[in-house]
Amino acid sequence: MARFPETRRREVAVAVSRGRVAQQRWQGMPATARAQVLVECAELLSQASPELLELGIAEVGKPRREMAAEVARGIGILRYYAQSTLDPDGQTYPSPAEPSLLLSWYRPRGVVGLITPWNFPVAIPLWKAGPALAYGNAVVLKPAPSATAMALRLAALLETALPPGLFQVIPGGAATGHALVGAADAISFTGSRAVGRLVIAAASARGVPLQAEMGGQNPAIVLPDAEVERVAKVVASAAMSYAGQKCTATSRIIVVGDPTPFSDALVAAVQGLSQGDPSDEDVVVGPVIDERARQTVLHAVETARAVGGQILTGGVAPDREGYFVDATLVRGIGADHDLAQEEVFGPFALLLSAPTEEDAIRIANLSRYGLVASVFTRDISAALRTVPQLRTGMVRVNGATTGVDLYAPFGGTKDSSYGPREQGKAAREFYTETQTVTIATADG
Ligand code: NAD
């Protein structure tokens, strides 16, 4: 998709210095002018939507409908943060003495380093860059190697509206990411737990602000009163669409009571999802990102078989060109087994059963991760009882674990997240620092 030299440590430092100069000018511009620039950015991406759609399908294999929704979301994020530029930017406090003024206001952090994964090549860079820019920062983006063509294209488009140096992309892998953590004024990371731990350690050693969004092992609890057919379709899609390659994908389906009727409906729903070429309008399950990812899924299937798991559907790589694995559902794995603990990050989900609602909650909370959970029930009391007991950053009652509302806080608990929430107004906490100002009259 793209050939590019890996950005070296020294070049990373140059990019950060360049960003610092641009940031000083950007911060000094009137908020209305910054808002207008961000509106223009949204407009540029909107005009380029058809091209970004095809690029995303080709580069990361995201099925057409989902990729179109992601491009639209990216544009929506920029529009939303363009307006946030004009929000009130602080608070006043009672004067310590008359006449005087005591206030606190939000100041930009400087140059923010963004380190992103490949699976949302438009939305994640923009949900970080949008608030960073709106609140007066410059950004240096280190995209995942598998999504670099998109990052470079986004930069080329945005550069026509943004002042030079404000949005820079530094292609590269782990070494470039590490160098960015060593140079930026703040770091926003999204990726796997293993890499996240390294980034947390490196940023803490420097004492710079960090937010890290990492993996999930997201549970969907199906209570006995749930409407079987409808819920099975929602859960099948949450687990398998985009070949399960979302941090919010459902990976543990916990059925309370007799699991058979729901299990049968779920197998049928998973088998009904259309798999194939992601550029095809009707395809829901495309390929996984690369051969390594395919092997990870097939290895998980082998492990499941070895410990007595039953493959309800899938479990094989179909005979077709591309990194495909059939959508796989497994039953009979212990809730504390590694397969129920670690992300497989593919079209692979476990069906677990629980005798009671309390057991389901306990199983849901067994994971080291805590990103998002679903609860399916028609009983409002059961929903209200269950939600506060789930240790996840987000809970969806009668909805898929997947999906993000760009104007609401996004993030998890436990090993899924570190630092303040992303998105919505919550993003301001990370992208600004508070300055408290006291102003007294010159004559005392
Ligand atoms: P990854 O952890 O392999 O890579 C993420 C980014 O970190 C990449 O840009 C990579 O080049 C960079 N990197 C690698 N080593 C580094 C180091 N030592 N220092 C600094 N940067 C380094 O993740 P991935 O495979 O690109 O993406 C999939 C993962 O992302 C999954 O675990 C998924 O759950 C997670 N994810 C989480 C969210 C969320 O919001 N919680 C959203 C999307 C994806």
Side-chain angles (χ1 to χ4, degrees):
M1 293 300 304
R3 282 185 186 279
F4 46 84
E6 170 132 10
T7 315
R8 291 168 197 281
R9 176 175 290 277
R10 200 179 49 77
E11 296 161 330
V12 173
V14 170
V16 171
S17 306
R18 193 167 169 245
R20 221 162 251 136
V21 175
Q23 191 271 330
Q24 285 297 319
R25 286 201 211 109
W26 178 242
Q27 166 182 334
M29 276 169 69
T32 46
R34 282 195 272 130
Q36 184 53 36
V37 170
L38 292 177
V39 168
E40 280 166 34
C41 287
E43 207 41 53
L44 284 162
L45 296 198
S46 177
Q47 283 159 16
S49 289
E51 176 207 335
L52 296 175
L53 168 61
E54 298 305 327
L55 180 56
I57 296 169
E59 188 172 36
V60 301
K62 182 168 288 197
R64 181 170 293 278
R65 252 184 261 160
E66 279 207 56
M67 194 63 227
E70 185 183 340
V71 172
R73 176 141 61 97
I75 296 160
I77 288 167
L78 283 179
R79 294 206 169 110
Y80 174 84
Y81 283 110
Q83 299 315 311
S84 301
T85 307
L86 308 176
D87 284 349
D89 68 349
Q91 286 94 35
T92 60
Y93 298 85
S95 303
E98 289 293 337
S100 71
L101 189 56
L102 178 59
L103 61 93
S104 67
W105 60 359
Y106 306 111
R107 308 299 300 160
R109 291 202 185 268
V111 180
V112 187
L114 312 180
I115 301 177
T116 53
W118 54 266
N119 64 335
F120 284 85
V122 173
I124 293 183
L126 292 179
W127 87 42
K128 293 180 187 300
L133 295 171
Y135 299 128
N137 302 279
V139 302
V140 175
L141 167 64
K142 209 301 285 165
S146 321
T148 302
M150 179 65 87
L152 291 171
R153 190 65 196 123
L154 288 176
L157 289 163
L158 298 180
E159 268 164 15
T160 60
L162 289 172
L166 210 59
F167 183 104
Q168 299 176 80
V169 174
I170 48 166
T176 306
H178 186 69
L180 183 58
V181 177
D185 299 321
I187 308 293
S188 181
F189 168 88
T190 299
S192 61
R193 172 179 171 272
V195 174
R197 306 309 291 186
L198 297 175
V199 171
I200 291 168
S204 310
R206 277 191 68 217
V208 289
L210 167 77
Q211 72 181 178
E213 285 300 335
M214 295 163 283
Q217 252 291 353
N218 309 303
I221 297 178
V222 183
L223 293 177
D225 70 326
E227 207 184 309
V228 170
E229 300 295 325
R230 188 193 81 81
V231 174
K233 285 194 179 125
V234 174
V235 172
S237 164
M240 306 299 177
S241 59
Y242 191 20
Q245 302 171 111
K246 302 177 192 172
C247 55
T248 53
T250 297
S251 39
R252 297 176 297 147
I253 301 144
I254 307 166
V255 184
V256 179
D258 175 10
T260 308
F262 187 78
S263 167
D264 292 347
L266 187 62
V267 168
V270 168
Q271 289 171 348
L273 297 171
S274 115
Q275 186 194 45
D277 183 344
S279 64
D280 186 332
E281 186 76 46
D282 298 323
V283 162
V284 176
V285 186
V288 292
I289 188 73
D290 54 23
E291 180 56 24
R292 198 166 138 217
R294 180 160 70 164
Q295 289 306 327
T296 302
V297 181
L298 294 174
H299 181 70
V301 171
E302 268 172 44
T303 308
R305 280 213 179 91
V307 296
Q310 187 190 347
I311 313 297
L312 298 175
T313 184
V316 290
D319 184 19
R320 66 159 71 212
E321 201 191 344
Y323 305 119
F324 288 95
V325 195
D326 283 349
T328 303
L329 262 183
V330 177
R331 186 165 66 187
I333 301 293
D336 53 357
H337 190 274
D338 266 3
L339 285 176
Q341 288 294 318
E342 288 307 327
E343 267 188 318
V344 175
F345 218 61
F348 181 93
L350 301 180
L351 193 68
L352 305 165
S353 51
T356 65
E357 186 184 299
E358 291 71 33
D359 291 311
I361 293 166
R362 184 183 53 76
I363 291 170
N365 287 340
L366 268 183
S367 170
R368 62 162 23 124
Y369 293 108
L371 192 57
V372 54
S374 284
V375 182
F376 293 94
T377 179
R378 286 180 287 189
D379 176 354
I380 184 73
S381 307
L384 289 173
R385 251 190 335 261
T386 313
V387 171
Q389 296 184 70
L390 288 167
R391 288 209 54 214
T392 55
M394 298 169 290
V395 184
R396 295 182 154 218
V397 176
N398 296 319
T401 50
T402 50
V404 176
D405 300 303
L406 63 92
Y407 45 87
F410 178 91
T413 61
K414 302 194 274 184
D415 280 5
S416 288
S417 295
Y418 182 89
R421 291 288 186 254
E422 297 205 87
Q423 309 205 35
K425 301 296 178 201
R428 181 159 68 188
E429 184 181 340
F430 178 72
Y431 289 103
T432 62
E433 51 200 22
T434 298
Q435 185 177 48
T436 305
V437 183
T438 314
I439 302 172
T441 55
D443 51 15

